[in-house]
Amino acid sequence: AYERKCRYFARKSNSVVVSVGYRLAPEHPFPTQFEDCLTATIHFMRTAQDYGVDPSRIIICGDSSGGTLTAAVAQALVNRRDLPKLRAQILIYPFLQGVDFDLPSYQQNERIPILLKKRTITLGLKYLNKDLSVMKAVFKGSYVPEDLQLKYQKWVSPDYIPHEFKRGYKPSTKQPFSEEIYRVLKPLFDPVFSPLLAEDSVIAQLPETFLLTCELDVLRDDGLLYKKRLEDHGIKVTWCHLEEGFHGTV
């Protein structure tokens, strides 16, 4: 699926393109995929000149769950002093948080192909090797303890979505918290799974970013919220929004 895309990018941008064939879930559960991408990125950064690449001009890129992995790898590299700094990251309609599956874009686009709301949650649970019996609890949000709700609402809240994207949005009623479900779903809060939940000290060191969002995509608001966080820390963001775009449009 990506061979032609990668060749296109290489040809059009006159760049060396490395496509990481990371191992897939559920056979290789989380965080294998992140570890494979990080290992490949570090190896390439150390050997870039062998490929005729300037180590100061390396950009990492991914779409959808690949955008998640791209964001997580960029975050993992911010404190590395033994490697060159990334020149930039390209995030194409990335999944960035597992705290709120009821943001305006999830409400508006929950039945829009190809990434229906239910499918998004199903894929996330399978990725984490979790039983789908917890699906209802994820829909209700009963897995987020109050202290984490308070912490994360600084970064994940409909309040930070621009007004023009909130048409028809209805705030959901809070469901009673379940300690048992929280223990099962704790990996949802890992910044490797949910890069939007990284601490400010990490976000502030990220490279320049290109971010693509699509109007008809449940993940649209993840991108909008990440854009805000990056810009709040002075990170330059080039944002492209496709009014008629949908998930998988690339």
Side-chain angles (χ1 to χ4, degrees):
Y2 283 84
E3 175 79 6
R4 287 180 64 198
K5 281 192 197 84
C6 291
R7 288 179 178 274
Y8 178 86
F9 286 141
R11 191 169 65 247
K12 289 290 186 180
S13 61
N14 192 26
S15 304
V16 172
V17 174
V18 179
S19 179
V20 183
Y22 57 83
R23 290 169 289 174
L24 302 178
E27 294 82 2
H28 301 280
F30 172 86
T32 306
Q33 297 69 26
F34 163 72
E35 290 164 354
D36 285 357
C37 289
L38 183 61
T39 300
T41 304
I42 290 171
H43 174 73
F44 184 73
M45 293 175 99
R46 285 180 172 151
T47 58
Q49 287 169 323
D50 297 349
Y51 301 92
V53 171
D54 178 350
S56 70
R57 297 180 68 191
I58 294 171
I59 298 169
I60 59 174
C61 170
D63 76 316
S64 193
S65 57
T68 317
L69 294 166
T70 300
V73 167
Q75 291 180 4
L77 293 173
V78 296
N79 291 315
R80 294 289 294 255
R81 299 290 171 256
D82 57 326
L83 295 168
K85 288 283 185 195
L86 285 173
R87 173 63 185 85
Q89 61 176 344
I90 295 174
L91 308 177
I92 299 170
Y93 39 71
F95 172 94
L96 294 170
Q97 59 84 30
V99 170
D100 189 345
F101 293 100
D102 205 41
L103 291 168
S105 61
Y106 271 103
Q107 289 189 7
Q108 293 157 5
N109 302 309
E110 66 177 330
R111 293 186 180 88
I112 301 263
I114 55 174
L115 197 64
L116 288 71
K117 176 175 174 174
K118 187 175 180 181
R119 180 176 291 168
T120 308
I121 296 169
T122 300
L123 291 173
L125 292 173
K126 285 189 172 185
Y127 180 36
L128 295 172
N129 243 8
K130 301 301 179 186
D131 193 277
L132 295 183
S133 62
V134 296
M135 174 88 73
K136 197 174 283 186
V138 176
F139 266 89
K140 290 179 177 177
S142 57
Y143 59 97
V144 188
E146 196 170 341
D147 60 326
L148 289 184
Q149 276 183 355
L150 288 170
K151 178 181 180 180
Y152 296 145
Q153 71 183 17
K154 305 177 294 195
W155 308 325
V156 185
S157 168
D159 295 346
Y160 301 129
I161 305 295
H163 180 72
E164 62 268 26
F165 294 105
K166 290 169 75 171
R167 65 194 181 283
Y169 171 68
K170 291 185 175 65
S172 54
T173 52
K174 284 189 178 179
Q175 300 294 325
F177 170 65
S178 165
E179 181 70 42
E180 183 185 355
I181 298 289
Y182 166 64
R183 281 200 298 271
V184 172
L185 294 177
K186 213 171 177 181
L188 287 172
F189 308 123
D190 184 335
V192 170
F193 184 86
S194 295
L196 187 53
L197 306 184
E199 296 297 332
D200 288 338
S201 58
V202 173
I203 300 290
Q205 298 182 72
L206 287 170
E208 184 177 344
T209 300
F210 175 91
L211 180 64
L212 184 138
T213 54
C214 291
E215 182 63 32
L216 306 173
D217 182 6
V218 290
L219 302 183
R220 180 197 69 203
D221 293 350
D222 283 24
L224 295 177
L225 292 171
Y226 206 50
K227 173 180 179 285
K228 180 182 187 306
R229 279 204 79 191
L230 291 166
E231 290 177 337
D232 284 351
H233 286 279
I235 310 298
K236 184 182 177 188
V237 178
T238 302
W239 175 47
C240 175
H241 183 66
L242 303 181
E243 290 286 350
E244 297 179 0
F246 52 89
H247 197 85
T249 202
V250 165

